[in-house]
Amino acid sequence: METLKGMERTRNCGELRKNDEGKEVQLAGWVSRRRDHGGLIFVDMRDRSGIVQVVFDASAMGTDAFHKAETLRNEFVIGIRGTVRARSDETINPKMDTGEIEIVTNELRILNKAKTPPFYIQDGIDVDENVRLRYRYLDLRRAEMQQNIMLRHRVAKLMRDYLDENGFLEIETPMLCRSTPEGARDFLVPSRLNPGQFYALPQSPQIFKQLLMVSGFEKYFQIVRCFRDEDLRADRQPEFTQLDIETSFLNQDQIITLMEGLIKKIFETTLDVKVETPFRRMSWQEAMDRYGTDKPDLRFGMELQDISEYVKGSDFKVFSSVLENGGQIKVINVEGYANIPRKELDGLVEYAKIYGAKGLAWIQYTDEGIKSPFKKFYSDETFAQIKKAVNAETGDLLLVVGDKPSVVAQALGELRLEMARRRKLIDENKLCFLWVVDFPMFEYVEEDKRYKAMHHPFTAPREEDIEFLLTEPEKVKANAYDIVLNGVEVGGGSLRIYNSDLQEKVFEAIGLTKEEAHAKFGFLMDAFEYGTPPHGGIAFGLDRLIMLMAKRKSIRDVIAFPKTQSAIDPMSHAPSEVDEKQLRELHIKSRVSSK
């Protein structure tokens, strides 16, 4: 096997340009593409920096050396020595950064051969994702994947630089923690040294970063791995990375301003796009009322509009029963789509049902008149009033959902997004940042017949709402704030409770007794007795942020070694069974029979 000894790399493939003409260079990398023209062989040679064309000329390098070049195949690892030559005008390749030059080779070393890959190592491949993940080490050779990972690196570095410039310290927190099952399910780790007891992998460093504020560090951050055992989707993984931040003595406006500066620096430096600050702010209630979600995509309109007052008091039992039971009737206006095919309308009915709606109605304002399944129950005047109220025009389609507010919000909110995709209303190059504020402190869980914290139980309520904590918890608003980009929540945080009496009241409001609260969070409660400063923080989902910046559809494309939607790694075959000896050492017995 040949080595690079005496021919170590002097330049990177993708950095050579026309001003390097005449220079002797030594390169190392992979064969990306090979073209045999008889006495000439052209190879596109690739390393992390890019691709350059390499020429093997039989007349210039000798028969033996040329025969070696004839054996080259895709993904062979090679080293070459050669001279940079300018291409003739007619052979310049404008699609390559190095397209004005090529390397005329006088020495070749084959450092390693390669089997034929299961898919082409090139961008834009149409390959089943499971195959890509099975051969992830090959998938990561593709330029678009390497660019995603390099973008991730640059963003993480900018985060560290910005926070360091603003006085923050990077401090690590434990990976093995106590289980506090108030959020998603924990990943548990058995303790060999403490039989029958378990650690939990952290869902976030929440408690520890608050303890660092008690410790007087004032400004903390960490780019940290977090773990949640929950159902997965395109923007979720069982292990994920977040930028975690906590700071003392700053109010909500100061934290938001500081974070806007961070986002501005990241986007303007890495993507060379202008980011205007301050970002827009919207209350949680306004977001739900207008968009049906607390993470609205503001790149297009089509807002939810309430038509309850126009359809009340009729014989149409579907609407009248909804309104009598405290529900609402809302619509979205799909402009210019009154001629929607009936088959597509029927499909939208089924789509709305996925998100809890019992059905979907519509109004089509056409040149021939009004078409609607409830037309016979209302006068033309009512339909004209609705048309005016929602600023509809002839040719528009109104999609109508009536139900309790939460169902209307979810169903119409999802229909809004789906119709925007179908009608191509979304500008993929537009960046719409938004702060959603004034969240409810609690949400009621019907299944458990109790309230739970909408964010987490350490979120501080607004001072003016504290009096309602134990009597009317539904009235309490939190000092919480989420940052949304193009309909995706990329970060969220809050001011924290720093008074033990108030913290106990919040625990009581979510049904935790003093004993239960101290059993789960006793060390935090104890710490609050020793002079805790006012503090607050935020966490950004690094994977989601990079996904949006790279314009990818899944966070799996911006994580080096992700899991599938079944939380499986097809490459390393994790999770896997372990042998009986390991289980005995951990004092564990599996109830699942081995196959």
Side-chain angles (χ1 to χ4, degrees):
M1 184 173 63
E2 295 182 289
T3 71
L4 273 178
K5 186 175 182 181
M7 202 173 79
E8 286 79 7
R9 180 160 66 173
T10 60
R11 297 291 295 274
N12 296 317
C13 294
E15 68 184 26
L16 295 167
R17 297 293 184 272
K18 194 171 182 178
N19 58 11
D20 293 307
E21 183 180 0
K23 294 180 181 177
E24 183 179 88
V25 295
Q26 295 170 182
L27 308 177
W30 287 262
V31 174
S32 184
R33 186 173 172 228
R34 174 185 176 277
R35 303 173 302 286
D36 193 334
H37 291 197
L40 286 175
I41 293 175
F42 295 92
V43 165
D44 288 345
M45 186 175 177
R46 180 189 72 240
D47 64 13
R48 194 184 78 185
S49 67
I51 293 178
V52 68
Q53 178 170 284
V54 174
V55 182
F56 299 94
D57 187 339
S59 62
M61 63 188 308
T63 304
D64 291 343
F66 188 76
H67 283 333
K68 186 192 293 187
E70 288 181 312
T71 69
L72 294 177
R73 297 293 182 268
N74 285 6
E75 301 311 308
F76 276 29
V77 185
I78 62 174
I80 66 137
R81 178 184 287 116
T83 303
V84 180
R85 179 175 71 185
R87 295 201 203 185
S88 59
D89 290 344
E90 63 272 16
T91 61
I92 288 175
N93 185 348
K95 295 180 181 179
M96 291 173 60
D97 291 337
T98 60
E100 292 185 307
I101 58 96
E102 59 191 8
I103 312 300
V104 180
T105 308
N106 53 49
E107 183 178 355
L108 164 67
R109 297 186 189 180
I110 298 178
L111 305 175
N112 221 328
K113 296 181 179 181
K115 293 165 59 177
T116 301
F119 49 81
Y120 290 112
I121 310 299
Q122 63 187 35
D123 291 349
I125 57 173
D126 183 16
V127 177
D128 183 87
E129 188 182 51
N130 282 324
V131 176
R132 289 175 52 207
L133 294 179
R134 166 68 180 85
Y135 298 95
R136 189 61 162 184
Y137 43 83
L138 297 179
D139 192 38
L140 288 173
R141 287 185 191 174
R142 299 189 302 114
E144 61 184 353
M145 294 300 294
Q146 294 201 344
Q147 287 163 8
N148 292 343
I149 301 302
M150 288 188 280
L151 173 64
R152 186 183 179 110
H153 159 77
R154 290 195 297 271
V155 169
K157 184 180 184 301
L158 283 168
M159 287 174 167
R160 286 188 165 97
D161 291 345
Y162 177 87
L163 292 168
D164 178 66
E165 290 163 7
N166 282 276
F168 285 79
L169 301 175
E170 185 168 11
I171 306 173
E172 294 178 343
T173 53
M175 283 288 110
L176 297 176
C177 311
R178 178 187 176 89
S179 177
T180 54
E182 277 296 313
R185 286 182 293 272
D186 287 328
F187 281 103
L188 299 178
V189 180
S191 172
R192 180 182 61 83
L193 298 176
N194 301 277
Q197 297 185 325
F198 294 82
Y199 301 104
L201 299 180
Q203 295 187 30
S204 81
Q206 183 61 48
I207 293 177
F208 290 102
K209 68 180 183 179
Q210 288 193 252
L211 289 172
L212 287 169
M213 296 303 101
V214 179
S215 302
F217 283 102
E218 297 189 15
K219 289 184 174 182
Y220 142 94
F221 83 95
Q222 185 182 190
I223 297 177
V224 60
R225 299 292 272 178
C226 301
F227 306 86
R228 291 178 187 170
D229 186 6
E230 58 187 348
D231 295 333
L232 306 182
R233 58 186 186 215
D235 58 351
R236 280 184 181 169
Q237 283 279 291
E239 50 181 329
F240 58 95
T241 304
Q242 68 184 37
L243 169 63
D244 202 50
I245 296 170
E246 199 78 7
T247 183
S248 298
F249 306 118
L250 295 186
N251 61 33
Q252 179 171 306
D253 287 340
Q254 290 171 314
I255 293 173
I256 284 176
T257 299
L258 190 65
M259 295 305 105
E260 288 177 350
L262 172 62
I263 292 294
K264 182 179 178 71
K265 179 170 184 175
I266 288 171
F267 276 77
E268 292 187 350
T269 303
T270 59
L271 301 184
D272 193 27
V273 295
K274 185 70 175 174
V275 174
E276 298 291 341
T277 56
F279 300 158
R280 182 177 174 182
R281 297 190 198 183
M282 183 182 296
S283 72
W284 178 88
Q285 192 62 59
E286 182 184 356
M288 296 300 295
D289 288 344
R290 294 174 61 183
Y291 302 99
T293 176
D294 57 8
K295 43 184 182 293
D297 191 336
L298 303 183
R299 290 175 293 177
F300 62 97
M302 210 189 301
E303 296 180 16
L304 281 60
Q305 301 183 73
D306 197 325
I307 62 167
S308 300
E309 65 175 287
Y310 302 103
V311 297
K312 65 184 179 182
S314 78
D315 294 331
F316 187 44
K317 292 183 180 179
V318 174
F319 287 172
S320 59
S321 63
V322 164
L323 295 174
E324 286 168 7
N325 288 291
Q328 57 187 197
I329 316 296
K330 282 191 171 185
V331 306
I332 56 171
N333 181 9
V334 188
E335 296 179 358
Y337 206 36
N339 62 345
I340 181 174
R342 181 54 194 252
K343 184 177 179 181
E344 187 175 348
L345 263 178
D346 292 340
L348 290 176
V349 174
E350 298 306 312
Y351 189 85
K353 289 180 179 179
I354 295 172
Y355 298 99
K358 297 179 182 66
L360 175 70
W362 58 85
I363 305 173
Q364 295 164 277
Y365 291 103
T366 72
D367 291 331
E368 293 76 35
I370 295 163
K371 298 179 182 178
S372 174
F374 54 88
K375 184 176 185 296
K376 65 181 181 180
F377 295 99
Y378 297 96
S379 66
D380 288 346
E381 182 184 357
T382 298
F383 284 101
Q385 289 175 330
I386 293 172
K387 183 179 180 182
K388 181 179 180 181
V390 302
N391 293 317
E393 303 285 345
T394 299
D396 290 350
L397 166 71
L398 303 188
L399 298 178
V400 189
V401 174
D403 213 306
K404 61 183 180 181
S406 60
V407 172
V408 172
Q410 184 171 20
L412 270 186
E414 292 294 338
L415 277 169
R416 172 180 178 267
L417 293 171
E418 179 63 17
M419 296 313 297
R421 286 189 286 264
R422 294 188 189 188
R423 301 292 286 163
K424 295 181 170 52
L425 302 179
I426 301 173
D427 183 351
E428 298 294 341
N429 295 315
K430 193 173 183 180
L431 297 174
C432 285
F433 291 98
L434 171 72
W435 288 104
V436 178
V437 297
D438 294 335
F439 282 81
M441 182 79 175
F442 307 105
E443 54 187 338
Y444 190 74
V445 183
E446 191 67 43
E447 183 181 340
D448 299 332
K449 303 297 182 187
R450 70 178 182 91
Y451 287 94
K452 74 170 188 175
M454 181 171 273
H455 279 70
H456 54 68
F458 313 109
T459 300
R462 295 191 309 189
E463 286 187 30
E464 59 268 34
D465 295 340
I466 290 175
E467 62 180 294
F468 304 117
L469 274 173
L470 300 179
T471 56
E472 298 176 274
E474 68 279 1
K475 285 187 176 181
V476 182
K477 296 288 192 297
N479 279 310
Y481 35 87
D482 281 1
I483 184 168
V484 176
L485 171 59
N486 294 350
V488 178
E489 178 199 331
V490 294
S494 67
L495 300 185
R496 319 300 190 195
I497 298 167
Y498 59 95
N499 174 279
S500 57
D501 291 338
L502 179 56
Q503 185 66 75
E504 286 184 356
K505 277 187 179 180
V506 170
F507 285 148
E508 185 178 349
I510 60 175
L512 284 180
T513 65
K514 278 189 176 182
E515 292 73 25
E516 288 172 328
H518 274 272
K520 293 178 178 179
F521 310 111
F523 59 102
L524 179 65
M525 302 293 286
D526 290 343
F528 281 179
E529 302 288 347
Y530 292 92
T532 301
H535 59 284
I538 191 169
F540 289 92
L542 184 63
D543 309 304
R544 288 185 186 180
L545 187 64
I546 303 300
M547 176 187 74
L548 293 173
M549 295 177 73
K551 296 182 179 179
R552 309 299 294 193
K553 299 299 183 185
S554 167
I555 62 172
R556 290 188 290 277
D557 282 342
V558 299
I559 299 171
F561 299 103
K563 306 289 190 296
T564 67
Q565 286 192 314
S566 302
I568 291 170
D569 179 359
M571 183 186 68
S572 68
H573 304 293
S576 65
E577 293 181 355
V578 297
D579 60 41
E580 190 64 31
K581 179 183 176 184
Q582 286 178 281
L583 292 177
R584 284 198 303 269
E585 288 175 340
L586 295 169
H587 310 282
I588 289 176
K589 186 173 183 179
S590 175
R591 297 173 63 181
V592 179
S593 60
S594 58
K595 297 177 183 178

